[in-house]
Amino acid sequence: MSWELTIELFCAVGIVWMSFAMPFYRGWRPLNERMEDCIRQTVRALERPLC
């Protein structure tokens, strides 16, 4: 196996890990909670009058 092919295989495995395995490993719940908080803050800011 050539050196370039080894590097490409390592990168492919890393991309798959970051795309699929890591979110399931860490859990989606904390991310969803942070996103909901950001959306609530944005909606509150948009509902406030400008002046």
Side-chain angles (χ1 to χ4, degrees):
M1 194 185 290
S2 69
W3 180 248
E4 291 86 10
L5 189 58
T6 304
I7 293 173
E8 290 173 6
L9 181 63
F10 181 75
C11 291
V13 169
I15 290 170
V16 169
W17 170 257
M18 289 185 345
S19 299
F20 297 105
M22 195 168 81
F24 289 111
Y25 175 72
R26 295 188 66 197
W28 287 104
R29 185 175 207 82
L31 178 62
N32 285 340
E33 290 173 356
R34 284 188 301 168
M35 293 291 284
E36 287 174 1
D37 289 341
C38 288
I39 291 170
R40 282 190 203 108
Q41 289 176 359
T42 303
V43 168
R44 273 189 248 130
L46 291 173
E47 288 176 343
R48 273 188 265 152
L50 294 177
C51 38

